[in-house]
C-alpha cells in the first residue's frame, strides 16, 4: 500500500505532424488505500496516465512517486504494481494456477510452496479454486476476468492498476463484479487506480473520481461532489444519464432575469451578484425538472416554461420525457406513472435551487445546485429528487 | 432472363459451388500428388519396366486386381523392392541425407533465432528507418538466386584467399548462404504472427516482473509457437530442397541429398529405380515432420488469451 503522487505529468507522442499531447500537466495525489477512478471520453488521457503510473509508457515531463520513492524512470517490474487489463491478457499457454503464480515466481523469492499457498488463498477469495487447472481458453469471459483479477491480487502489490476491467463483460455480470470489486478493494485496502469510460462505474465505485478531458484534469472530487458541484460544463455534461440539460441564456442583471428567446426566469439577488458575464449556459439535471399541465395552480408560476413533448421513453421505474423548447431539446426524468405523451403541451418548472449556471465562453461553473454532497445526507447520488422537494 | 422454373434455389447454388470447388481442388491435388506417386511407383520397378515404350499408370494389370485383393501378398511379387537394397551400395546416399539434415537443421535454427528477434522488433517496436529496413528485407526476395550466385562464389573465393577461412564445399559456407536468404522470409513471416499477439499480454508479463527479453521468451514465444513451427518448416524445406547454390558451393564431403541423387544419372547409365528409391526414403522423414507439426499450426495456440 502506498500513496501515489503525480506531479505535473505530461505525456507527448510523436506523430507525423508534430507531437500529440495525451496528458497535459496533471497533478494528483492518491491517498494510501484510496480507490480513485479516472473517467472521461475516449482519448482523454485516462489510460495513458494509468500506463505512465504503471511504467508501460515513458513520461515526457513531470514525476510519479509511490510513497517517498520516485518511480518515474523505473521499469514496470521495479514498481510493485499489479494490473488488470481490459482484455484480461492471460497467458494462454499456462493454466489459471500458472497464470496466477507467474508474477510471484518472476518477482519474488518465495518458495514454490509459499506461492502455491498464496494462489490457493486468492483463488478461494475469488471462488475460482475449481478453475485453477484449466487453461484460459476453457474458461468463460467472466471466469477469465476473475483469473485476471486473481493474478493481480495474489501479488499483494503497492498499487492496483485497472484499465477498464469490466467493459468486456455483459451488463448483468458487470453490475455484479462492480460491487464485488468494491468489496475486495476495501478488504484488501490497496491503493487502486481504476480507468473507465462508464460513468456508472465512476459514480458507484470510487472514493474519488478524476474527470479528464483532452489530456487535462477537469475535476477531482467525490462522486457526489462532481455530480452536484461540477467545476465546469464538461463535467456537468459528462456525469449523469440522461445528461444535464443545457440552455443558452443571457443574464439581465438590472432586471435580475435570465432570458432566452422563449422564456424568462427570475434570478435571485445573491446569484445575480456573482455573475460577471451576461453570456451564460443554464444547466439543469433531468430529475430536477417538474412537469405540470395546470400552470394556474402552480405555486411558482414565474418559473414555468412552456414546452412540447416530442418523445417519451418509459423505462419502468422512471420515464424520460423529451421536450422541445424553442428548437432546443430538454430531457426530463419523471416517475414511471407519468401520463405525458408526444404532442402534449406541458409546463416545466425550473427550481432556482437546482439550477447550474456556467460561463458560456470558459465553461466554468458560476452557480451550483444546492443538493447535499455529503454521502451521509444523501444515500445515492443518482437518485432523483422528487419534484415536491424542489419547491 | 432465366425462366423461373430453371432458376437455382440458394441451396442448389451452394451445392453447385461446393461441387465445383471440390472439382478444382481435386485437379490441383492430382497435379501436386502425381509426381510423388510416380516417384514411388518408379522406385518399385525394374529397369525394363521404367524404360518401356508404353509406361503403365498402375504397377499391375487391371485384371490382376481381384487376385491382389484376395491375396495382398501377391503385391510383393509384383513390386520390385531391389532398388531399395542396391541403392545404398551404389552411392553414399546416407551421407548425402545426413549432410542435408545438418545443413537444413542448422539453417533453420539460425533463421528462427534471428527471425524471432527481428520479427518481434518489427512487430512491437518503433525505430527510425523501420519502413526502409522492412522494405529492404522484402526486396532481397525479389532478386533471382542465379544473379547472386556468381558474386557469392567470388566472395567465397575472396574470403578463402584473403582471410584464409575455407568457404566453398564447407557446411558453414552453404549454411551461411542459406541463412542469408531465409532470414528475411523468417522475419517477415514471424512478424505477421507476432502482430496477432496483443501488446497487453507482453505488458502483463512486464508488470508481473519480466524484462522485455524474459517476456519474449516466457510468454510471447510460446504463444507464437504455431507460427514458429510453420516458419521453421518453411525454412527447413527451402534449405533441404535447394539445388542451385548447392550445385556450385557444396560438393565433395558436404554434398547434400538434392545434389547427391544426381549421381545416379551417370555418363553411361541412369539408375532411375534406385534414384527414385533414394528420393522416396528421403521424402518420408520430411513428410513425417509435416504430419507432426501440422496439428499445433492448425490448432492455433493463442486462442483464449484475450477477450476480443
Amino acid at each position: 500500500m502506498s500513496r501515489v503522487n503525480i506531479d505535473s505529468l505530461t505525456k507527448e507522442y510523436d506523430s507525423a505532424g508534430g507531437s500529440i499531447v495525451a496528458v497535459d500537466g496533471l497533478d494528483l495525489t492518491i491517498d494510501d488505500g484510496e480507490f480513485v477512478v479516472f473517467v472521461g471520453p475516449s482519448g482523454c488521457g485516462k489510460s495513458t496516465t494509468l500506463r505512465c503510473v504503471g511504467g508501460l509508457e515513458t513520461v515526457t515531463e513531470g514525476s510519479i512517486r509511490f510513497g517517498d520513492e520516485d518511480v518515474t524512470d523505473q521499469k514496470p517490474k521495479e514498481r510493485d504494481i499489479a494490473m488488470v487489463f481490459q482484455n484480461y491478457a492471460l497467458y494462454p499457454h499456462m493454466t489459471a494456477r500458472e497464470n496466477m503464480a507467474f508474477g510471484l515466481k518472476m518477482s519474488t523469492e518465495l518458495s514454490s510452496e509459499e506461492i502455491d499457498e498464496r494462489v490457493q488463498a486468492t483463488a478461494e477469495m475469488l471462488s475460482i479454486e475449481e478453475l485453477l487447472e484449466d487453461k484460459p481458453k476453457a474458461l468463460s469471459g467472466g471466469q477469465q476476468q476473475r483469473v485476471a483479477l486473481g493474478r493481480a491480487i495474489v501479488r499483494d502489490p503497492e498499487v492496483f492498476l485497472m484499465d477498464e476491467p469490466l467493459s468486456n463483460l455483459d451488463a448483468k455480470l458487470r453490475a455484479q463484479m462492480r460491487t464485488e470489486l468494491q468489496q475486495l478493494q476495501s478488504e484488501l485496502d490497496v491503493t487502486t487506480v481504476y480507468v473507465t469510460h462508464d460513468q456508472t462505474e465512476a459514480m458507484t465505485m470510487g472514493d474519488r473520481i478524476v474527470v479528464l478531458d483532452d489530456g487535462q484534469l477537469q475535476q477531482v472530487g467525490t462522486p457526489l461532489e462532481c455530480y452536484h458541484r461540477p467545476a465546469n460544463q464538461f463535467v456537468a455534461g459528462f456525469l449523469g444519464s440522461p445528461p444535464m440539460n443545457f440552455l443558452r441564456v443571457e443574464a439581465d442583471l438590472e432586471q435580475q432575469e435570465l432570458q432566452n428567446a422563449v422564456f424568462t426566469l427570475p434570478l435571485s439577488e445573491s446569484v445575480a451578484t456573482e455573475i460577471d458575464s451576461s453570456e451564460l449556459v443554464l444547466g439543469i439535471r433531468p430529475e430536477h425538472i417538474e412537469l405540470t399541465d395546470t400552470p394556474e395552480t402552480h405555486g411558482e408560476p414565474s418559473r414555468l416554461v412552456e414546452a412540447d413533448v416530442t418523445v417519451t421513453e418509459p423505462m419502468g421505474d422512471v420515464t424520460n420525457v423529451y421536450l422541445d423548447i424553442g428548437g432546443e431539446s430538454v430531457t426530463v426524468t419523471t416517475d414511471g406513472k407519468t401520463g405525458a405523451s408526444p404532442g402534449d403541451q406541458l409546463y416545466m418548472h425550473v427550481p432556482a435551487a437546482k439550477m447550474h449556471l456556467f460561463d458560456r465562453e470558459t465553461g466554468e461553473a458560476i452557480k451550483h445546485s444546492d443538493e447535499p454532497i455529503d454521502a451521509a445526507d444523501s444515500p445515492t447520488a443518482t437518485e432523483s429528487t422528487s419534484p415536491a422537494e424542489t419547491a | 432472363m432465366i425462366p423461373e422454373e430453371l432458376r437455382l434455389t440458394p441451396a442448389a447454388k451452394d451445392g453447385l459451388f461446393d461441387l465445383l470447388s471440390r472439382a478444382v481442388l481435386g485437379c490441383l491435388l492430382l497435379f501436386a500428388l502425381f509426381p510423388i506417386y510416380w516417384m514411388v511407383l518408379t522406385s518399385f520397378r525394374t529397369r525394363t519396366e521404367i524404360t518401356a515404350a508404353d509406361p503403365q499408370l498402375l504397377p499391375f494389370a487391371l485384371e490382376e486386381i481381384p487376385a491382389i485383393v484376395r491375396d495382398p501378398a501377391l503385391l510383393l511379387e509384383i513390386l520390385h523392392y531391389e532398388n531399395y537394397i542396391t541403392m545404398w551400395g551404389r552411392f553414399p546416399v546416407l551421407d548425402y541425407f545426413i549432410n542435408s539434415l545438418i545443413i537444413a537443421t542448422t539453417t533453420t535454427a539460425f533463421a528462427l533465432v534471428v527471425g524471432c528477434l527481428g520479427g518481434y522488433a518489427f512487430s512491437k517496436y518503433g525505430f527510425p528507418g523501420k519502413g526502409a529496413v522492412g522494405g529492404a528485407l522484402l526486396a532481397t526476395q525479389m532478386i533471382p538466386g542465379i544473379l547472386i550466385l556468381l558474386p557469392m562464389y567470388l566472395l567465397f573465393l575472396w574470403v578463402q584467399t584473403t582471410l584464409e577461412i575455407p568457404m566453398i564445399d564447407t557446411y558453414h559456407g552453404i549454411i551461411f548462404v542459406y541463412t542469408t536468404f531465409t532470414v528475411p522470409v523468417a522475419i517477415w513471416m514471424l512478424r505477421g504472427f507476432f502482430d496477432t499477439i496483443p501488446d497487453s499480454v507482453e505488458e502483463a508479463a512486464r508488470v508481473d516482473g519480466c524484462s522485455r527479453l524474459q517476456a519474449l521468451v516466457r510468454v510471447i514465444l510460446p504463444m507464437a509457437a504455431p507460427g514458429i513451427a510453420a516458419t521453421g518448416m518453411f525454412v527447413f524445406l527451402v534449405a533441404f530442397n535447394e539445388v542451385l547454390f548447392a550445385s556450385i558451393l557444396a560438393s565433395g564431403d558436404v554434398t547434400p541429398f538434392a545434389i547427391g541423387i544426381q549421381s545416379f544419372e551417370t555418363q553411361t547409365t541412369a539408375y532411375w529405380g534406385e534414384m527414385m528409391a533414394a528420393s522416396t526414403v528421403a521424402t518420408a522423414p520430411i513428410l513425417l515432420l509435416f504430419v507432426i507439426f501440422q496439428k499445433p499450426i492448425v490448432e492455433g495456440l493463442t486462442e483464449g488469451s484475450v477477450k476480443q
Side-chain angles (χ1 to χ4, degrees):
Chain A
M1 283 165 287
S2 158
R3 177 194 183 91
V4 177
N5 233 307
I6 300 173
D7 191 18
S8 316
L9 175 70
T10 298
K11 172 68 190 175
E12 288 175 17
Y13 289 105
D14 291 328
S15 78
S19 65
I20 298 165
V21 182
V23 183
D24 191 2
L26 180 74
D27 288 302
L28 183 69
T29 301
I30 302 167
D31 287 328
D32 199 355
E34 194 179 16
F35 194 135
V36 164
V37 178
F38 286 9
V39 69
S42 298
C44 71
K46 55 189 191 300
S47 282
T48 308
T49 308
L50 184 84
R51 292 167 60 81
C52 286
V53 174
L56 295 171
E57 299 283 350
T58 54
V59 171
T60 312
E61 264 173 58
S63 69
I64 299 168
R65 288 201 312 276
F66 289 179
D68 296 324
E69 196 182 356
D70 188 332
V71 299
T72 316
D73 297 318
Q74 285 183 358
K75 295 198 171 89
K77 65 173 192 169
E78 298 165 326
R79 296 193 185 201
D80 197 10
I81 47 169
M83 191 156 170
V84 182
F85 294 82
Q86 178 176 2
N87 58 14
Y88 316 147
L90 295 173
Y91 312 126
H93 55 294
M94 300 183 194
T95 61
R97 181 190 297 283
E98 289 164 342
N99 262 281
M100 288 170 69
F102 186 70
L104 292 175
K105 213 158 77 182
M106 297 305 294
S107 64
T108 66
E109 302 289 315
L110 291 179
S111 69
S112 55
E113 289 80 31
E114 286 170 301
I115 290 178
D116 227 44
E117 245 168 62
R118 274 170 73 166
V119 169
Q120 198 63 37
T122 308
E124 276 164 29
M125 189 196 298
L126 290 164
S127 336
I128 51 171
E129 310 99 291
E130 319 273 287
L131 310 175
L132 285 179
E133 305 314 323
D134 289 332
K135 289 203 174 161
K137 72 172 165 189
L139 305 177
S140 71
Q143 290 169 333
Q144 290 180 5
Q145 219 281 338
R146 291 181 108 77
V147 174
L149 209 56
R151 183 172 68 178
I153 290 172
V154 78
R155 298 269 313 278
D156 189 18
E158 293 272 330
V159 181
F160 273 134
L161 303 176
M162 305 198 181
D163 193 358
E164 311 214 16
L166 304 185
S167 59
N168 279 346
L169 298 177
D170 62 52
K172 197 176 155 209
L173 205 52
R174 198 182 316 155
Q176 184 195 326
M177 284 305 288
R178 214 161 56 207
T179 47
E180 212 169 302
L181 255 181
Q182 273 172 283
Q183 273 171 3
L184 272 172
Q185 199 273 341
S186 72
E187 272 169 40
L188 298 167
D189 202 28
V190 175
T191 313
T192 302
V193 184
Y194 185 105
V195 163
T196 182
H197 65 269
D198 180 324
Q199 46 131 336
T200 315
E201 285 175 24
M203 291 299 295
T204 54
M205 297 179 81
D207 294 326
R208 279 192 303 162
I209 60 182
V210 176
V211 186
L212 294 163
D213 183 39
D214 208 12
Q216 289 182 329
L217 182 66
Q218 302 296 314
Q219 187 166 6
V220 186
T222 65
L224 292 186
E225 250 167 42
C226 295
Y227 189 80
H228 291 303
R229 308 274 188 275
N232 55 42
Q233 200 182 333
F234 173 82
V235 177
F238 189 78
L239 297 176
S241 174
M244 184 185 281
N245 297 294
F246 294 118
L247 294 163
R248 290 155 72 92
V249 291
E250 323 289 330
D252 186 335
L253 297 177
E254 275 179 28
Q255 303 282 328
Q256 297 194 347
E257 277 176 350
L258 291 175
Q259 295 166 347
N260 165 301
V262 186
F263 60 83
T264 310
L265 289 172
L267 203 57
S268 73
E269 199 175 338
S270 59
V271 175
T273 53
E274 289 174 35
I275 297 172
D276 53 4
S277 159
S278 64
E279 312 249 290
L280 302 177
V281 172
L282 162 68
I284 179 101
R285 296 240 172 242
E287 68 269 22
H288 289 157
I289 301 175
E290 181 200 351
L291 292 177
T292 175
D293 53 1
T294 52
E296 51 286 346
T297 60
H298 197 273
E300 212 176 13
S302 64
R303 305 199 65 85
L304 291 181
V305 178
E306 199 178 329
D308 297 316
V309 177
T310 53
V311 177
T312 61
E313 277 180 352
M315 315 280 285
D317 55 342
V318 294
T319 297
N320 295 326
V321 180
Y322 293 85
L323 305 171
D324 178 76
I325 296 174
E328 291 197 75
S329 178
V330 170
T331 314
V332 181
T333 307
T334 63
D335 71 51
K337 293 191 283 287
T338 183
S341 55
D344 286 358
Q345 202 173 57
L346 294 174
Y347 292 84
M348 64 171 207
H349 177 235
V350 183
K354 307 297 175 198
M355 261 180 7
H356 297 257
L357 287 174
F358 303 97
D359 187 307
R360 204 186 297 169
E361 204 181 323
T362 63
E364 294 301 314
I366 298 168
K367 176 206 176 294
H368 293 302
S369 81
D370 65 352
E371 283 293 305
I373 55 167
D374 188 346
D377 295 347
S378 162
T380 53
T382 45
E383 194 176 74
S384 58
T385 316
S386 84
E389 290 168 12
T390 60
Chain B
M1 278 295 281
I2 307 167
E4 189 70 37
E5 60 275 18
L6 288 183
R7 273 192 213 158
L8 290 173
T9 62
K13 262 187 205 163
D14 283 353
L16 193 65
F17 182 77
D18 199 45
L19 199 73
L20 278 176
S21 40
R22 273 160 203 268
V24 171
L25 282 178
C27 289
L28 289 174
L29 201 62
L30 199 69
F31 194 72
L33 289 182
F34 185 77
I36 295 173
Y37 168 73
W38 203 246
M39 171 181 86
V40 178
L41 185 66
T42 309
S43 74
F44 285 108
R45 282 182 159 163
T46 61
R47 177 186 300 274
T48 329
E49 283 171 325
I50 293 166
T51 52
D54 56 339
Q56 300 298 307
L57 272 181
L58 293 172
F60 36 72
L62 286 177
E63 308 81 79
E64 289 176 298
I65 292 176
I68 294 170
V69 172
R70 272 195 304 276
D71 181 13
L74 267 181
L75 265 182
L76 289 179
E77 285 172 35
I78 297 167
L79 299 174
H80 300 274
Y81 47 85
E82 294 83 2
N83 291 329
Y84 284 87
I85 296 163
T86 53
M87 69 173 192
W88 304 102
R90 184 110 37 212
F91 297 102
V93 180
L94 190 63
D95 291 349
Y96 298 154
F97 187 68
I98 289 171
N99 285 342
S100 274
L101 277 187
I102 291 172
I103 293 166
T105 312
T106 319
T107 304
T108 308
F110 278 131
L112 285 184
V113 170
V114 180
C116 280
L117 293 171
Y120 177 73
F122 267 105
S123 174
K124 305 291 181 199
Y125 285 79
F127 51 87
K130 183 174 169 176
V133 178
L137 283 179
L138 201 61
T140 60
Q141 299 306 301
M142 296 170 188
I143 301 166
I146 192 93
L147 281 188
I148 53 168
L149 180 58
L150 187 60
M152 193 66 92
Y153 185 77
L154 294 175
L155 179 73
F156 273 26
L157 275 185
W158 180 81
V159 171
Q160 288 197 152
T161 50
T162 316
L163 305 178
E164 292 178 356
I165 303 169
M167 291 300 280
I168 298 167
D169 298 343
T170 61
Y171 285 130
H172 63 260
I174 195 70
I175 289 167
F176 171 79
V177 174
Y178 290 168
T179 306
T180 58
F181 53 71
T182 51
V183 158
V185 193
I187 290 178
W188 269 96
M189 280 180 80
L190 286 164
R191 176 200 190 162
F193 286 105
F194 288 131
D195 279 345
T196 64
I197 297 175
D199 296 352
S200 58
V201 180
E202 190 212 333
E203 287 168 357
R206 286 170 61 204
V207 168
D208 262 346
C210 291
S211 65
R212 287 200 88 143
L213 192 64
Q214 281 174 319
L216 174 68
V217 173
R218 306 196 66 140
V219 174
I220 306 295
L221 291 186
M223 285 177 77
I228 295 171
T231 309
M233 240 159 58
F234 177 81
V235 171
F236 186 89
L237 285 183
V238 167
F240 196 88
N241 292 334
E242 209 280 334
V243 169
L244 182 64
F245 285 88
S247 66
I248 305 295
L249 301 174
S251 50
D253 287 346
V254 301
T255 306
F257 188 79
I259 302 302
I261 49 166
Q262 291 175 24
S263 45
F264 281 100
E265 194 182 357
T266 64
Q267 277 186 331
T268 49
T269 343
Y271 300 96
W272 293 118
E274 289 172 11
M275 189 197 268
M276 291 303 128
S279 302
T280 306
V281 168
T283 310
I286 312 298
L287 212 60
L288 196 72
L289 206 69
F290 259 100
V291 173
I292 293 168
F293 280 106
Q294 200 188 11
K295 198 166 168 251
I297 291 167
V298 175
E299 219 173 38
L301 285 173
T302 55
E303 203 185 326
S305 156
V306 298
K307 184 152 170 150
Q308 301 294 341

